[in-house]
Amino acid sequence: MKTPPPQDVAPATECVVVINCGSSSLKVAVLAARDGRMLLKALAERLGTPDATVAWESGGERGGIPLPGGGHREALQAVADRMENLRPLAVGHRVVHGGEEFSGSVLIDDKVLDAVRRCVPLAPLHNPANLAGIQTARELFPALPQVAVFDTAFHQTLPRAAYLYAVPYDFYADLKVRRYGFHGTSHHYVSLEAARLLGRDPGATSLVTMHLGNGCSACAVRDGRSVDCTMGMTPVEGLVMGTRSGDVDPGLHQYIHDRTGRSLDEITSLLNSQSGLLGLSGLSNDMRTLAEAAASGHGRAALAIEVFCYRLAKAVCGLTAALDRLDALVFTGGIGENSAPVRARAAAHWRVLGVRLDEAANAAHGANTGGVISAPDSRVACLIVPTNEELMIARETLRLVS
Ligand code: ADP
């Protein structure tokens, strides 16, 4: 006689594991393969130190453990231990720099790993960490296909007029000095969602998307392809960010060096980690803190916000040069989704584009409720689209393994 199958054991949920590996941190998101639902989210920090920890959230419940001295492998193992009743189909990795080697996501094999290694000089902090994440996942999930999704890939469609710097051409030919752009996964996802919101075919939609988080960038998307963006060879170019300066005069380095004796390394660090909103305000890199301080009379917090919004607005106008038409301006990222005053302030600089926000809609929409925030008579639609890079990586991963 056959034994009947057990009635009380639910079948394991098929899922995709998304990994974003930093040098001393590891972010993991596990999404349902069927509908992209977030099943488990984990963050390991201070890896390789006595204070290493891993924390997770799943089904509304939170937990965490200390992991003294633990590295990426121990952290990923701790997350895998939480995955009972989940059946991973594949692993998707966020990889920061794909250089000119990758114009889309790829299934990882040894050749791909070599190419990612060749891009290390372009992202010396990030790519080695991403490679460590891939190595760890290959060891822990040897049977699963692994996919790399690059921050730069979406921008590989930039025309040469947009990606070349006006420096001697040999720097491009010999050293790959050019503009690459970053946040590509977010700009790509948000542009697809914006087209959906507008009821248009993404292949026939012209947009400028603005990813405003700790790092900030804007992107001109014409007919579904990135045609220009504000970040360049490194993520410090372009908009004012939390701690990054964005564009400065290239003569600044020499001047600061001459006047203060600071070295090139010190100036680079100054422009990356002590500038932007933090540098201008002298208070914080966090827009929430600055908004509160400005409201209670902190002059330099107000100044930082003013510069942030003006530079954003000006960069967006510049990006429209890459478009034939402008269907919509799209806000995303922590600031873009949550800060109605920043959106209103930037929009006030776009009168020449015929932009008019609907005040009530601008105040009502946010991270949980993306939607249209422009007035009916605005010549250009303005939207909030909450970004979801994990979902985009999971979709790309499934697309490549199926
Ligand atoms: P990351 O780039 O690290 O993913 P986020 O996208 O989470 O960062 O964005 C972080 C920024 O979003 C911070 O400046 C934070 O102050 C800002 N932010 C989050 N919520 C709000 C809010 N309600 N109002 C204004 N700014 C906000």
Side-chain angles (χ1 to χ4, degrees), residues 108-243:
I108 296 174
D109 58 19
D110 289 342
K111 269 195 183 153
V112 167
L113 289 180
D114 283 343
V116 174
R117 273 186 212 107
R118 283 197 293 278
C119 296
V120 164
L122 293 168
L125 296 180
H126 291 101
N127 272 29
N130 301 153
L131 283 161
I134 294 170
Q135 190 55 37
T136 308
R138 279 181 136 192
E139 285 165 21
L140 238 71
F141 303 107
L144 294 187
Q146 317 258 336
V147 168
V149 180
F150 298 91
D151 269 18
T152 50
F154 184 55
H155 303 299
Q156 275 298 297
T157 45
L158 257 62
R160 63 189 182 176
Y163 73 66
L164 284 175
Y165 292 111
V167 296
Y169 189 82
D170 288 353
F171 283 108
Y172 168 60
D174 300 340
L175 299 175
K176 302 274 177 221
V177 169
R178 53 160 284 178
R179 308 182 64 251
Y180 291 96
F182 299 87
H183 288 146
T185 308
S186 177
H187 289 298
H188 191 186
Y189 174 80
V190 162
S191 63
L192 292 173
E193 285 299 299
R196 202 172 57 82
L197 247 167
L198 294 168
R200 300 181 71 105
D201 172 3
T205 309
S206 258
L207 307 164
V208 174
T209 51
M210 294 163 276
H211 179 107
L212 310 175
N214 281 310
C216 301
S217 71
C219 177
V221 185
R222 189 173 69 206
D223 302 337
R225 293 148 68 94
S226 170
V227 284
D228 203 353
C229 59
T230 56
M231 281 181 168
M233 164 112 184
T234 74
V236 80
E237 186 177 335
L239 305 180
V240 174
M241 312 181 209
T243 61

Side-chain angles (χ1 to χ4, degrees), residues 98 113 174 185 197 219 233 259 270 273 332 335 342 345 368:
L113 289 180
D174 300 340
T185 308
L197 247 167
C219 177
M233 164 112 184
R259 295 298 303 265
L270 186 103
S273 48
T332 195
I335 299 172
V342 165
R345 210 162 178 148
N368 301 320

Side-chain angles (χ1 to χ4, degrees), residues 27 183 211-215 277 285-289 291 333-335 338-339 389:
K27 283 186 195 162
H183 288 146
H211 179 107
L212 310 175
N214 281 310
L277 292 173
N285 63 323
D286 191 293
M287 186 56 88
R288 262 169 307 195
T289 307
I335 299 172
N338 293 297
S339 178
E389 287 161 285

